[in-house]
Amino acid sequence: MKRLDLDDLSPRIAQILTSLEPGEELLLVQNGGVAGRLTGGVVAPAVVEPEVEHTNERASEVFENFRASMEDEF
């Protein structure tokens, strides 16, 4: 996927790109011909990662269960 940093563009171009409504198209023209077409989309929601409990107590419990199962096997 190619990436374009809006901070590298002129303010006018950045404003046009960021103001596209979902489904609205922007035609890119170069030398009188169509060079591309962009379609506005919905901004994806930020991904929130679930909190993971990392405590010594939990690690100790896992280790004890593992050790007990190994002792039972052998």
Side-chain angles (χ1 to χ4, degrees):
M1 175 189 299
K2 294 188 178 187
R3 180 180 171 157
L4 177 66
D5 189 344
L6 294 177
D7 294 329
D8 294 338
L9 301 174
S10 73
R12 179 174 175 257
I13 295 171
Q15 192 278 329
I16 290 170
L17 291 172
T18 57
S19 68
L20 286 176
E21 296 293 325
E24 183 180 9
E25 288 190 345
L26 173 67
L27 193 61
L28 304 174
V29 179
Q30 183 177 27
N31 297 325
V34 175
R37 194 181 297 256
L38 298 175
T39 304
V42 179
V43 176
V47 176
V48 177
E49 298 201 17
E51 291 184 27
V52 179
E53 183 181 326
H54 292 289
T55 62
N56 288 340
E57 183 179 302
R58 177 70 180 138
S60 176
E61 179 184 337
V62 169
F63 179 73
E64 289 297 321
N65 288 339
F66 174 74
R67 189 170 58 117
S69 66
M70 293 305 289
E71 288 174 356
D72 290 343
E73 281 292 319
F74 300 104

